[in-house]
Amino acid sequence: MYIYLSILNLLTVWVMMAQLQQGGPDEKEKTTALKDLLSRIDLDELMKKDEPPLEFPDTLEGFEYIFNEKGQLRHIKTGEPFVFNYREDLHRWNQKRYEALGEIITKYVYELLQKECHLKKVTLPVDATESEPKSFIFMSEDALTNPDKLLVLIHGNGVVRAGQWARRLIINEDLDSGTQIPYIKRAIEEGYGVIVLNPNENYIEVEKTKAQVQLSSDSSDEPAEKRERKDKIQKETKKRRDFYEKYRNPQKEKETMQMYIRDNGSPEEHAIYVWDHFISQSAAENVFFVAHSYGGLAFVELMIQREAEVKNKVTAVALTDSVHNVWHQEVGKTIREWMRENCCNWVSSSEPLDTSVESMLPDCPRVSAGTSRHELTSWKSFPSIFKFFREAVEAKNSSVKPTPTRRSNRIKYEEL
């Protein structure tokens, strides 16, 4: 109720401003004062007034949800799918609740990777000290020793972590479409070793102490005049916030700082690190990648940095709606030629699965993933990708390229 009254009061102020703007100098001065007042009101903070506490369960059962036998998230009591708008007109609170559930699901998927897929968790950096920030990946027991095949999985950017393609699919659809588990199980059945990358785990967040907050606001590198001006602005801002504090009661969120993980501070760095310390040292004669969305960009960056090694060890790469760009990433001609022969990008399209899709970029062939939804491309192209890998091995042994990358099915970019 408080929120609606506050908004009503704001509307009243705006009406007054409109009326004053039609008057003389005195009225215009009042209008300026009202504008200044409105500029000091933080609507986001105002909307927090009547929010319930941002305290959520730390287990699926606490949320009263569970995954059924079909891998679908369902309410324990009603059997209904997940409901985002749990509380009407409290979008921010609902979003925080959704994010809290997402963190639980991330841990749940980690457990599945270890218990159902029998993967082991490996800490990064490999020589990490006890006190420094750490990340991790997942590997099958034979990932480095399998002499035949190794499958490497790279998800896209955002909130997803190792073992996931899309959190939204896990919550709203099922585990099969939203996780990498079907790929992992299929790969193990067909005799692959498996490495699951974790490219979004780039830093840990720690709560700032008062000393750290003060330190971050003081910059010895800045000129004294600039620092004084910044301090003055910050003090005025704090004064205004303190003034309005008695009119609202926003929930205080902890101020945190990011501590980046050594040599794994970005998806691109992570891919290169895992290549150097694991993939390049594996015994597999044939290494295969499946890279979704930003994972495709990370793979292309890996190629740029380790071109000779990748060409020597990787047999085929399946991209799913990759966001790489050979122009923006300044990919050289030799890499583009290799990608045209050894990569295929299953893109979001309304066309049937595996239908050729034209592209103006001189990189790998593009075919339809059989869906127009970006996040579903990895799941929908799943059977075609393993077929592509089998054909790649056969082509390597017989010097004939697999079907999706035949020159007859693509534009002759060499002429561009």
Side-chain angles (χ1 to χ4, degrees):
M1 186 65 183
Y2 173 86
I3 294 173
Y4 296 116
L5 290 174
S6 301
I7 294 174
L8 184 60
N9 289 335
L10 287 175
L11 289 173
T12 303
V13 172
W14 282 323
V15 171
M16 290 172 60
M17 284 175 58
Q19 292 173 342
L20 289 171
Q21 282 177 339
Q22 298 174 1
D26 292 341
E27 282 75 13
K28 288 183 179 179
E29 185 176 337
K30 292 177 182 178
T31 301
T32 302
L34 285 171
K35 283 182 178 179
D36 180 63
L37 175 63
L38 286 174
S39 69
R40 296 180 183 183
I41 297 176
D42 188 333
L43 288 177
D44 286 337
E45 293 292 301
L46 194 65
M47 295 298 284
K48 298 176 186 176
K49 171 67 181 177
D50 290 342
E51 272 188 346
L54 297 178
E55 298 172 357
F56 304 102
D58 56 5
T59 63
L60 278 177
E61 292 74 15
F63 270 94
E64 296 189 326
Y65 280 97
I66 194 171
F67 284 100
N68 63 20
E69 65 281 357
K70 295 181 179 179
Q72 301 166 323
L73 188 67
R74 293 292 182 264
H75 195 276
I76 293 174
K77 296 178 181 177
T78 66
E80 294 295 316
F82 176 76
V83 176
F84 178 85
N85 289 317
Y86 188 76
R87 292 179 181 266
E88 291 294 331
D89 303 319
L90 287 175
H91 178 81
R92 179 178 175 275
W93 187 89
N94 288 329
Q95 180 64 33
K96 292 293 183 182
R97 173 176 173 266
Y98 177 83
E99 291 169 5
L101 176 62
E103 291 303 309
I104 294 172
I105 285 175
T106 291
K107 294 175 183 177
Y108 182 79
V109 172
Y110 288 161
E111 291 178 6
L112 293 180
L113 295 181
Q114 293 175 292
K115 294 178 180 178
E116 283 195 14
C117 302
H118 308 292
L119 304 185
K120 61 181 180 180
K121 187 177 179 181
V122 180
T123 301
L124 305 181
V126 293
D127 59 347
T129 63
E130 189 69 27
S131 59
E132 74 173 300
K134 304 173 187 65
S135 179
F136 51 88
I137 58 174
F138 291 91
M139 298 167 47
S140 62
E141 290 292 340
D142 67 339
L144 302 183
T145 59
N146 189 315
D148 186 16
K149 296 178 291 187
L150 173 65
L151 177 64
V152 181
L153 300 174
I154 314 179
H155 59 61
N157 212 350
V159 297
V160 290
R161 293 295 186 268
Q164 301 180 44
W165 293 128
R167 176 185 288 181
R168 188 191 330 179
L169 292 178
I170 297 172
I171 293 176
N172 298 318
E173 303 287 338
D174 54 37
L175 289 167
D176 279 351
S177 62
T179 74
Q180 298 172 347
I181 291 174
Y183 276 86
I184 296 167
K185 289 183 174 180
R186 175 76 171 270
I188 293 173
E189 287 174 5
E190 295 192 8
Y192 290 75
V194 177
I195 296 181
V196 178
L197 271 63
N198 203 7
N200 292 335
E201 193 76 12
N202 307 130
Y203 57 83
I204 62 171
E205 285 195 355
V206 294
E207 186 177 356
K208 282 186 178 181
T209 63
K210 289 185 178 179
Q212 287 171 328
V213 172
Q214 181 64 35
L215 184 63
S216 65
S217 64
D218 294 337
S219 178
S220 58
D221 295 335
E222 292 181 341
E225 183 180 347
K226 183 177 180 181
R227 188 165 62 249
E228 288 175 6
R229 186 166 63 251
K230 183 187 291 185
D231 289 342
K232 183 179 179 182
I233 293 172
Q234 289 175 341
K235 287 177 181 177
E236 289 177 352
T237 302
K238 185 177 185 303
K239 186 178 179 180
R240 287 198 301 270
R241 286 179 176 173
D242 290 343
F243 176 78
Y244 286 109
E245 192 67 33
K246 61 183 177 181
Y247 297 109
R248 61 175 190 254
N249 183 30
Q251 296 189 48
K252 296 290 186 182
E253 294 188 51
K254 295 178 181 178
E255 193 167 359
T256 61
M257 61 184 292
Q258 297 173 348
M259 296 180 63
Y260 281 84
I261 298 163
R262 175 163 52 91
D263 298 328
N264 288 268
S266 70
E268 296 91 329
E269 275 189 7
H270 177 75
I272 293 170
Y273 187 88
V274 176
W275 175 272
D276 289 343
H277 291 82
F278 298 95
I279 303 170
S280 66
Q281 299 178 21
S282 67
E285 183 180 347
N286 300 286
V287 174
F288 302 91
F289 277 79
V290 179
H292 174 63
S293 192
Y294 198 89
L297 186 149
F299 172 79
V300 171
E301 184 62 27
L302 170 63
M303 275 220 72
I304 294 170
Q305 301 297 329
R306 302 288 187 271
E307 180 178 353
E309 295 180 25
V310 171
K311 286 181 177 179
N312 183 58
K313 200 157 185 67
V314 176
T315 298
V317 178
L319 306 173
T320 58
D321 228 8
S322 171
V323 298
H324 72 276
N325 188 298
V326 294
W327 294 139
H328 294 164
Q329 293 181 258
E330 299 181 352
V331 178
K333 181 181 178 182
T334 54
I335 294 178
R336 297 199 304 268
E337 290 174 347
W338 186 91
M339 289 180 66
R340 287 200 294 271
E341 297 295 336
N342 298 279
C343 300
C344 186
N345 190 6
W346 276 263
V347 299
S348 52
S349 169
S350 58
E351 296 293 327
L353 179 64
D354 295 331
T355 302
S356 180
V357 178
E358 290 189 5
S359 170
M360 293 303 294
L361 292 176
D363 58 0
C364 58
R366 293 162 30 115
V367 297
S368 172
T371 178
S372 298
R373 294 172 59 186
H374 170 74
E375 67 273 19
L376 269 173
T377 51
S378 298
W379 172 237
K380 293 295 185 179
S381 58
F382 170 60
S384 296
I385 286 175
F386 276 91
K387 180 174 180 287
F388 173 60
F389 289 163
R390 287 196 301 273
E391 291 179 350
V393 173
E394 294 170 3
K396 181 179 178 181
N397 295 333
S398 62
S399 299
V400 176
K401 293 301 172 186
T403 303
T405 61
R406 284 179 185 162
R407 290 181 179 270
S408 59
N409 290 340
R410 68 169 188 267
I411 301 172
K412 293 185 178 180
Y413 297 109
E414 296 87 347
E415 298 175 0
L416 296 178

